Amino acid sequence: MAIGFVGCIGAIKENKCLLLTFFVLLLLVFLLEATVTVLFFAYTDKVQSPLPSPASGVGSDLTARRGATALWVTRIDRYAQRDLKKGLHLYGTPGNVGLTNAWSIIQTDFRCCGVSNYTDWFEVYNATRVPDSCCLEFSESCGLHAPGTWWKAPCYETVKMWLQENLLAVGIFGLCTALVQILGLTFAMTMYCQVVKADTYCA
């Protein structure tokens, strides 16, 4: 939103500095997304690719590489879960409506509770309770009921499995997002060049 606001103001005011800033920031975001996408598919391919037979002479080397790759994936999962658990403490706090709504939607739609399990919420509330969105049957203050009335599935693994099963849809969405960003980069640079030419002509 901030980057889009910079680009919008730059276009309205025809300000070279703002247009160039918008272009550079959007380019950095695009490159970051492209890098993450390439690494994701590269690691996924390495982890899931079949091993050659030992007779080929390269099985042991590929086994070692896959082991190292799997270790990195495990570390990434661990770090991601740790950060998500820290984010749980912002649930329901002032100024974090988006995060609160996101967790409520995820837990309701994916029928899960917490990052690893429902006990993640115990540290947040300092009590044996969970958000009402964790309940099998939603009702007011149902998060105070017994654990038997809550979803047991971990949200991190549930969402991760959903993404893996819907890679095509996620990929199409990513391509559409990339196309919009490329168009934004093109329009920003085109307008920037026109402003520069206009300033040069007037001078």
Side-chain angles (χ1 to χ4, degrees), residues 11 18 20 22 29 44 49 59 78 87 98 103 105-106 111 120 122 134 150 154-155 173 175 183 190 198 203:
L18 291 177
L20 189 59
F22 170 77
V29 171
T44 301
S49 60
R78 189 184 305 122
W103 268 112
I105 293 172
I106 288 173
R111 299 182 176 183
D120 294 336
F122 295 176
C134 281
W150 307 332
C155 287
F173 176 78
L175 288 175
L183 290 175
T190 300

Side-chain angles (χ1 to χ4, degrees), residues 34-163:
T35 302
V36 171
T37 302
V38 171
L39 290 176
F40 172 79
F41 282 106
Y43 279 123
T44 301
D45 181 65
K46 288 182 180 180
V47 172
Q48 296 180 349
S49 60
L51 285 174
S53 61
S56 63
V58 296
S60 59
D61 182 54
L62 287 180
T63 301
R65 291 183 181 179
R66 281 188 59 184
T69 302
L71 179 61
W72 276 106
V73 172
T74 302
R75 288 180 178 177
I76 293 173
D77 284 340
R78 189 184 305 122
Y79 292 144
Q81 292 184 50
R82 183 188 63 186
D83 290 340
L84 287 172
K85 288 179 180 179
K86 289 181 179 179
L88 292 181
H89 292 272
L90 300 176
Y91 183 89
T93 57
N96 290 288
V97 178
L99 183 143
T100 301
N101 291 338
W103 268 112
S104 297
I105 293 172
I106 288 173
Q107 293 183 142
T108 301
D109 291 351
F110 287 93
R111 299 182 176 183
C112 59
C113 188
V115 179
S116 301
N117 53 60
Y118 62 84
T119 59
D120 294 336
W121 290 107
F122 295 176
E123 299 179 9
V124 177
Y125 291 109
N126 291 320
T128 306
R129 67 164 298 182
V130 297
D132 293 343
S133 57
C134 281
C135 299
L136 299 175
E137 294 184 5
F138 179 83
S139 63
E140 191 69 26
S141 300
C142 62
L144 294 171
H145 298 168
T149 62
W150 307 332
W151 299 115
K152 300 297 189 299
C155 287
Y156 183 84
E157 291 298 331
T158 303
V159 174
K160 182 180 176 181
M161 290 178 58
W162 182 88
L163 289 174

